[in-house]
Amino acid sequence: MARISNGLIGFLNILILLFSFVVIGVGAYFSLQSSADCERFLQWPVIIIGLFLLVVSLFGILGSCYRISFFLWIYLFAMFLLILAMLFSTVFVFIVTNKGVGDVISGRGYKEYRLGDYSSWLQKEVGNYKTWSKIESCLRTAKVCHGFTAKELASANEFYKKNLSPTQSGCCKPPTYCGYDYVNATYWDTPKTGIKSTDVDCKAWSNDQEKLCYGCNSCKAGVLATMKTKWKEIAIFNVVLIVFFVFVYTVGCCAMKNNRSDKYKRQFYGYR
């Protein structure tokens, strides 16, 4: 007699199998279509995750549909490791993104961000020269600051009212406390009375369109603010996936129990 749990685990793993094809396809797209270093960097993690889900789902389908207990053992062990890894990564993301909020600036439509407001682990990651070089290359490739033309933002008041993204606020202009005078969206004059702060970001600002504030701590903070939002969205999605995978794992355990029960009946009672 067919067991409901075996059929259900087979059906659920067919869904996972189809999902793995989508994940692998996304990784292949990054590999073949993208010219940006940051997007190419994503290709292998995405492809590896897709291949892992593909192999695990095949073990689940074979183990449940053909009653092969050995495959189900491998499947359940892999699922257990996957659930643990997702749980650990989700908790870790919530911990490291717990700190860090933008500072509201009077008379401005945007916030400004300070690197010291974020967790020490995140500060260390963006403080690494090799890591930040890759991120900086991505920022230039994505042209995050190229949308600010003098025609679109003719006056300082128009610029100050603009709702800039954290990355644009941190990387495309000098921090407000430096006291630079606005000329246009990406060109600022040193005030006649001198820079108002000794902060390193004030000296790091450059009107060179290839430099701007990409080397500023405020730029790193803006990137972290964006990462914080994205990571939390991914973490919430992970929670949903964890609940789904725990359900699948539970059904898989029932299928394993059914396989063992059927094997026992065949051996001792001649049941088929």
Side-chain angles (χ1 to χ4, degrees):
M1 180 179 178
R3 304 285 182 147
I4 295 177
S5 56
N6 288 69
L8 182 57
I9 196 67
F11 171 75
L12 292 173
N13 278 283
I14 289 174
L15 295 180
I16 296 175
L17 179 67
L18 295 175
F19 178 70
S20 70
F21 290 142
V22 175
V23 175
I24 294 172
V26 171
Y29 173 82
F30 284 142
S31 176
L32 299 175
Q33 301 295 327
S34 177
S35 60
D37 292 338
C38 45
E39 291 183 351
R40 285 202 302 268
F41 175 76
L42 293 173
Q43 71 185 51
W44 286 115
V46 172
I47 290 175
I48 290 172
I49 292 172
L51 290 174
F52 178 82
L53 292 175
L54 173 64
V55 173
V56 170
S57 61
L58 287 176
F59 275 116
I61 292 170
L62 293 174
S64 60
C65 295
Y66 293 94
R67 309 294 180 87
I68 304 175
S69 296
F70 176 70
F71 285 170
L72 266 184
W73 273 116
I74 297 176
Y75 168 75
L76 290 174
F77 179 70
M79 287 293 293
F80 180 74
L81 293 181
L82 177 62
I83 292 170
L84 279 184
M86 292 182 66
L87 185 62
F88 173 80
S89 62
T90 301
V91 172
F92 178 75
V93 166
F94 278 118
I95 291 175
V96 299
T97 59
N98 188 46
K99 295 181 179 179
V101 293
D103 296 328
V104 177
I105 308 299
S106 177
R108 302 291 189 269
Y110 50 80
K111 295 180 179 180
E112 293 191 342
Y113 303 83
R114 296 178 182 269
L115 186 59
D117 292 339
Y118 293 88
S119 69
S120 57
W121 185 85
L122 288 176
Q123 291 183 49
K124 182 179 178 181
E125 287 300 304
V126 295
N128 181 280
Y129 176 77
K130 290 183 178 180
T131 301
W132 184 250
S133 295
K134 292 179 181 179
I135 295 174
E136 191 173 338
S137 175
C138 290
L139 293 174
R140 289 197 180 94
T141 303
K143 299 181 179 180
V144 295
C145 298
H146 285 206
F148 301 151
T149 64
K151 183 177 181 181
E152 291 174 342
L153 301 168
S155 68
N157 286 334
E158 287 178 326
F159 181 83
Y160 294 150
K161 293 177 181 179
K162 190 172 180 62
N163 183 22
L164 304 179
S165 70
T167 304
Q168 290 171 333
S169 175
C171 306
C172 305
K173 64 173 188 58
T176 300
Y177 54 78
C178 296
Y180 279 90
D181 294 327
Y182 176 92
V183 177
N184 63 45
T186 53
Y187 193 95
W188 300 70
D189 271 342
T190 303
K192 296 179 180 179
T193 55
I195 297 174
K196 297 180 181 180
S197 173
T198 58
D199 190 277
V200 293
D201 281 1
C202 298
K203 296 181 179 179
W205 166 259
S206 172
N207 285 315
D208 184 337
Q209 299 303 295
E210 290 300 313
K211 295 181 180 179
L212 298 177
C213 222
Y214 291 131
C216 298
N217 287 331
S218 64
C219 184
K220 296 175 182 178
V223 169
L224 290 182
T226 302
M227 288 174 55
K228 175 181 175 180
T229 301
K230 299 298 183 183
W231 281 16
K232 282 198 170 182
E233 291 174 354
I234 293 173
I236 293 172
F237 179 67
N238 276 353
V239 171
V240 176
L241 285 181
I242 289 171
V243 173
F244 173 73
F245 285 139
V246 167
F247 172 72
V248 173
Y249 180 81
T250 303
V251 177
C253 289
C254 293
M256 170 62 74
K257 184 178 179 181
N258 289 340
N259 284 4
R260 295 178 64 182
S261 176
D262 288 348
K263 181 179 179 181
Y264 176 83
K265 290 179 180 179
R266 286 196 300 269
Q267 290 177 343
F268 294 95
Y269 298 103
Y271 169 79
R272 291 182 179 276

